[in-house]
Amino acid sequence: MPQETSATRLRALAAEVFDVPAEEITDGAAFYEDLGVDSLQKVDFVVRMERQLGLKLTDDEAAGMRDLGGAITVLRSRGLSVGP
Amino acid sequence: MDRDGVAVSGVGAVSPAGLGVHALWRAIEDRRVLTGPVTRYDLSGYPTRQAAEVPPGAVAALDSLVPPHESLAARYLAAATLEALGDAGLPAHRRRGRLGLFVGTVMGTRPLLDRAIGRGPLGVADRAWARPDELLAAVRQVVTVDGPAVLLAPGCSAGNEAIAAGAAAVASGEVDVAVCGGADELSLEVFAFFTSMRALAADAIRPFDAGRRGTMPGEGAAVLVLERAERVAARGRKPLARVLATASAADAHNLTQPHPDGAGLIATIQTCLDRARVEPDDVDWVCAHGTGTPANDAVEARAVAKALGGRRRPVLSSVKGQLGHAEGAAAALEAVIGVRALAYDLVPGNVTLVEPDPECAGVDLVEPAGRRGPVRRVLSQAYGFGGAVCTVLLGKGNPDAR
Amino acid sequence: MPASVTVCGAGLRLSEVDDLASLARRLRSAPAPAEVRRFAAPDTVLAPVEREVYGPVEPRVPARAGTRGLRSLPHESLLALGAAASTPGKQGPDDTTAVVWASSTAGLPEYATVCAEASTLEPGFVAPALGPASAHNGPAATVSIRLGLAGPNLTLTGGATAGISAIAEAMRLIAAGDARAALVGASATVTRWSLTAAQDHLTPAEGAACLVLDPAGGSGIQLGECHRTDLVRATARVIQAAARPQTRPDGLVVSTSDFGLVDALASGQPFPVWHVERALGDLGAAGGFLAVVGAAALCAATGPLAAPRPLPDAGLLAGPGLLPDAGLLAGPGLLPDAGLLAGAGLLAAPGERSEPNPIRPTKILALAVEPCGSTASLEVSSS
């Protein structure tokens, strides 16, 4: 199980799941409000991230991932090393 | 459909309360919560393991009632159909006018594939899971169908769409007898993806509660026999209830999220009232879709408050706290409960409600005990993934009892 | 149900069929060769198989349906969207056009994939996006959401009669006032999963088709006279209709997996009988729908011929007595001119020849028959 990941990898995953260009997925771009993501795409992103990293997030942690920066914060709080 | 609507002459049900409408209504009256730990599948490893199952004893008892079939949903449907035709005083096989079958489902026979879910590669045994028409196979063995046989799978509005299609077929004269209902069995596939979606409640489904955390799958089948009232009277019987109006629409918004304003729901409620020529205050019970998910209930309560704005707040409750969400069977089970509510003048309560959600203040949430009092009209709405909405307005069997 | 509705547009996504004219040609021709494809179901005990199928079919989704998010949609939803969005008509935001769709296969690969994932992954790791797509209603939901159609949204499943029932239910929704118009369609896909239930004597096929139905009368192809009953009554209706010149159809398009039934229906009839599954392969519920679209295509190929045309051979071809081999016409390879035979005046019965205007609307029956004996039929006519 990888205990590290990178913002670039997470951005690429989000770009694929949300079907938006990777450069639009900045740390502060809100998934719902700015990127027009729906709740199913959001939960799909969370589950695919969990699968990649082999970890389970709590409901509250998942809900806290409102943008890429938020996702990185949650992962770091779980002890993962998230590079650039 | 004329103002007095189409008569409901018989009802049948298989539910987490067991076999029969009597068991279902007793459970509603007794405020029993029928969700609990799943026994049919091994759910060890799942964070939540609760659903509403047809009890094993009731499943075993099906053997003496209906032909064998791999699909439990097909057998639930056959059992509910036989009960409903018997209740209506109609023979299953002898000549009794043209009979049509209108059945709603969400997953149909597909849950047969779930039984192969284990550890490692998925085993695949039979083929009925890839044959949607197999859902009607058991009922065809026990009932002669010489009219339409329509299998509707529009999402969780299925049960109401079946009632709408059948009522129209009776009203137009296409059939003399419409067997309308819905059937679905507990699906591990649904359980698995609801788990991923984090949409499952851990302890109880609490529709319209501030602390609601999600829904739980249920299962069963329910059937209403619809006929013209004259036909029922000619057999010396009285209609149990009437389908006063039905209406269908779609949110056309998002696959899994309801329209934020509940546009499709509001449209179908208003259309039902217009068609039956009744006022918002004439609706004594709104049998809510009320799945207990954070996303649904507040939207639904606001939409109902808007569509039924009268002198009083609309009286609303959801039976899903007791029965779980039986998907394609849900609206049909709710219609059968509506028929009983009209007959016994009881509005079922929100049995699991602890702390009403302030966001749902626009509706009058029925307390867990339920309410005794005249029930003349019941509005029952259903919708789900995909955005299809279908609403049914039921009235008392005797139209003069308005 | 309104007496009839007018066909205002059609969208097709079928193997080797581009438009209604080529659909009519395909129905009249000998079966086309199918392509051998390999189908696998990873993470299951199912071994890969090779099978002759009609397909693959490209969805070719028009820009009107938007582009973002398309790649996460199931193939069958894309086929449906491709067919639906290629019909004419720009709907407004409050359009109450109904979407009514029939399919035996929609959601099946997604359902099976979730099961396979649930079997091989930890709980909670199943891809959630597959779940809502694993029910039967993906195509109808996708068309409604993508094209902004807020009318009723209905999905029918089951066998071939579902394809014709879809039209009946759409006509009901229009008559009741729930819908202004209807976009009715059907689709099928071939996967390793669907092949577990495929019949050996049929060529599995994938594709989608849809019709835009409007209640307003007018010229064009009309659909009406829907009957849903058992096989005995349906056969009796065909025989009765064939017996009288006033009711006799100019042809019959049948969707059934039973080739013997088609031969029996064709035998002795004074009109040609075309067989959907023979020409297009097994499309499940979509087969019944394609019986109607095929009948419309054959009407269009012969019918809007409302203008009088010379009838040099009418006398020779007309009348049951002069068509002793009509039943044979349904046989393979014997139908090159069947479309011509269905032409308005060419099948006029002897009694009609003396009428001042020998041209009457072309009328072709579409009939779907399921193995259980359920049937649905619809009358397709040009006016």
Side-chain angles (χ1 to χ4, degrees):
Chain A
M1 293 292 171
Q3 286 304 301
E4 58 179 357
T5 185
S6 68
T8 310
R9 263 190 88 185
L10 294 172
R11 191 175 291 115
L13 178 67
E16 187 196 330
V17 174
F18 302 159
D19 202 357
V20 295
E23 56 270 22
E24 284 184 27
I25 303 169
T26 58
D27 281 7
F31 294 156
Y32 291 148
E33 294 82 1
D34 298 327
L35 300 176
V37 164
D38 69 28
S39 61
L40 185 62
Q41 289 172 307
K42 156 89 184 289
V43 73
D44 200 29
F45 169 69
V46 171
V47 170
R48 288 175 62 172
M49 195 165 55
E50 289 179 313
R51 268 160 79 161
Q52 268 190 11
L53 301 171
L55 92 169
K56 280 270 170 44
L57 299 168
T58 66
D59 289 357
D60 287 342
E61 286 170 335
M65 296 180 160
R66 296 168 197 282
D67 49 35
L68 189 68
I72 291 169
T73 304
V74 168
L75 294 179
R76 284 186 177 141
S77 76
R78 290 286 301 264
L80 260 79
S81 153
V82 185
Chain B
M1 222 182 288
D2 65 29
R3 192 180 173 186
D4 291 341
V6 166
V8 179
S9 59
V11 288
V14 174
S15 73
L19 301 183
V21 174
H22 182 70
L24 174 63
W25 182 247
R26 277 290 300 277
I28 295 291
E29 278 189 323
D30 295 348
R31 300 157 51 190
R32 286 173 57 207
V33 174
L34 299 165
T35 57
V38 170
T39 59
R40 197 170 304 150
Y41 296 109
D42 175 13
L43 292 180
S44 51
Y46 278 80
T48 75
R49 294 180 282 275
Q50 309 242 342
E53 289 179 302
V54 173
V59 172
L62 288 172
D63 290 349
S64 60
L65 294 175
V66 296
H69 195 280
E70 303 109 305
S71 163
L72 275 179
R75 304 181 81 209
Y76 297 160
L77 177 66
T81 301
L82 283 178
E83 182 191 2
L85 286 172
D87 190 31
L90 290 168
H93 287 297
R94 273 178 293 120
R95 189 175 165 77
R96 31 69 183 128
R98 177 80 57 89
L99 181 143
L101 202 53
F102 302 84
V103 175
T105 190
V106 171
M107 291 307 182
T109 58
R110 286 180 185 168
L112 284 172
L113 198 56
D114 300 4
R115 296 176 196 167
I117 296 176
R119 291 188 178 82
L122 183 71
V124 181
D126 53 71
R127 5 168 98 189
W129 54 269
R131 293 273 312 271
D133 53 324
E134 281 286 322
L135 186 67
L136 303 182
V139 76
R140 282 178 182 287
Q141 286 186 55
V142 294
V143 178
T144 304
V145 181
D146 50 4
V150 182
L151 193 46
L152 297 157
C156 292
S157 60
N160 274 353
E161 296 284 12
I163 293 168
V170 169
S172 73
E174 184 183 14
V175 298
D176 299 305
V177 178
V179 171
C180 309
D184 259 305
E185 68 183 87
L186 190 67
S187 159
L188 181 50
E189 189 259 7
V190 170
F191 204 91
F193 81 73
F194 266 56
T195 299
S196 289
M197 290 171 84
R198 300 168 192 271
L200 292 174
D203 59 339
I205 309 172
R206 302 191 190 282
F208 306 102
D209 193 285
R212 66 182 180 277
R213 295 304 293 266
T215 195
M216 291 180 201
E219 63 172 344
V223 164
L224 294 87
V225 176
L226 305 185
E227 303 176 72
R228 287 187 308 283
E230 311 87 80
R231 264 185 63 93
V232 184
R235 287 200 305 281
R237 288 173 176 261
K238 289 184 175 136
L240 307 176
R242 301 197 182 223
V243 179
L244 299 177
T246 70
S248 303
D251 277 345
H253 173 67
N254 182 282
L255 186 59
T256 56
Q257 287 167 297
H259 189 288
D261 304 329
L265 176 57
I266 291 172
T268 59
I269 292 175
Q270 287 172 341
T271 302
C272 276
L273 297 189
D274 289 349
R275 287 184 178 159
R277 280 171 274 166
V278 299
E279 299 297 320
D281 289 331
D282 295 332
V283 175
D284 298 302
W285 178 35
V286 178
C287 179
H289 186 59
T291 55
T293 59
N296 174 74
D297 295 2
V299 169
E300 180 175 9
R302 272 198 302 275
V304 169
K306 187 172 177 191
L308 290 179
R311 288 185 305 278
R312 58 171 181 174
R313 289 182 302 159
V315 175
L316 176 142
S317 62
S318 165
V319 295
K320 289 193 175 73
Q322 293 177 267
L323 299 176
H325 186 354
E327 301 177 14
L333 285 165
E334 285 155 15
V336 167
I337 292 166
V339 168
R340 282 291 182 268
L342 289 159
Y344 294 115
D345 286 323
L346 171 71
V347 174
N350 289 293
V351 167
T352 53
L353 188 66
V354 178
E355 186 194 344
D357 184 348
E359 287 210 57
C360 303
V363 294
D364 178 3
L365 290 172
V366 183
E367 51 286 347
R371 284 181 203 168
R372 296 271 169 198
V375 181
R376 288 154 301 193
R377 283 172 206 84
V378 173
L379 189 80
S380 180
Q381 58 223 21
Y383 48 87
F385 288 172
V389 187
C390 187
T391 299
V392 168
L393 183 66
L394 302 170
K396 279 198 187 289
N398 176 3
D400 299 327
R402 287 190 243 265
Chain C
M1 223 179 275
S4 70
V5 289
T6 305
V7 176
C8 300
L12 295 175
R13 291 293 182 272
L14 290 167
S15 177
E16 310 287 326
V17 171
D18 302 317
D19 51 18
L20 288 179
S22 62
L23 176 62
R25 275 198 301 279
R26 182 87 186 255
L27 281 169
R28 294 192 300 241
S29 317
E35 193 180 317
V36 175
R37 285 172 63 194
R38 188 168 188 276
F39 297 90
D43 297 328
T44 73
V45 298
L46 289 174
V49 295
E50 293 196 340
R51 177 106 191 222
E52 283 192 354
V53 299
Y54 290 126
V57 177
E58 286 300 316
R60 291 184 286 120
V61 178
R64 178 189 160 199
T67 51
R68 186 179 169 192
L70 284 186
R71 68 183 181 212
S72 65
L73 290 174
H75 182 54
E76 186 157 344
S77 292
L78 288 173
L79 285 173
L81 189 58
S86 67
T87 58
K90 176 79 196 87
Q91 284 79 17
D94 294 322
D95 196 307
T96 61
T97 295
V99 178
V100 186
W101 209 266
S103 168
S104 303
T105 51
L108 186 65
E110 289 73 29
Y111 194 101
T113 303
V114 171
C115 288
E117 288 196 357
S119 204
T120 52
L121 299 175
E122 270 182 66
F125 280 180
V126 162
L130 287 174
S134 69
H136 298 79
N137 64 336
T142 301
V143 170
S144 158
I145 293 165
R146 286 272 170 175
L147 301 186
L149 303 176
N153 186 266
L154 212 45
T155 293
L156 286 82
T157 187
T161 62
I164 292 183
S165 258
I167 296 171
E169 295 304 326
M171 289 167 74
R172 186 253 303 174
L173 292 165
I174 290 172
D178 288 47
R180 179 189 67 75
L183 205 159
V184 190
S187 52
T189 44
V190 186
T191 59
R192 182 65 187 86
W193 306 102
S194 72
L195 287 178
T196 60
Q199 302 180 69
D200 291 340
H201 70 292
L202 297 176
T203 305
E206 72 172 44
C210 70
L211 296 172
V212 180
L213 306 181
D214 200 287
S219 60
I221 304 291
Q222 312 273 328
L223 310 181
E225 286 288 321
C226 181
H227 294 278
R228 300 184 281 188
T229 184
D230 56 35
L231 183 56
V232 174
R233 285 176 179 80
T235 315
R237 286 192 70 85
V238 171
I239 293 169
Q240 273 172 5
R244 296 167 58 214
Q246 302 93 311
T247 56
R248 183 176 303 148
D250 300 303
L252 173 66
V253 188
V254 187
S255 170
T256 173
S257 57
D258 186 344
F259 282 63
L261 176 71
V262 180
D263 291 343
L265 282 169
S267 123
Q269 298 295 7
F271 47 76
V273 176
W274 298 282
H275 184 191
V276 170
E277 281 70 16
R278 178 179 163 275
L280 301 171
D282 182 8
L283 291 140
F289 187 75
L290 277 154
V292 177
V293 182
L298 290 158
C299 276
T302 58
L305 338 163
R309 43 147 76 170
L311 293 172
D313 297 319
L316 285 173
L317 288 170
L322 293 170
L323 281 175
D325 297 327
L328 288 176
L329 289 174
L334 292 171
L335 280 174
D337 298 322
L340 288 173
L341 290 172
L346 295 177
L347 280 174
E352 286 181 322
R353 263 179 294 168
S354 59
E355 291 193 15
N357 179 7
I359 307 300
R360 60 178 178 82
T362 302
K363 181 174 80 185
I364 297 181
L365 286 182
L367 171 69
V369 181
E370 295 188 18
C372 62
S374 262
T375 74
S377 68
L378 197 70
E379 202 173 282
V380 183
S381 56
S382 64
S383 63

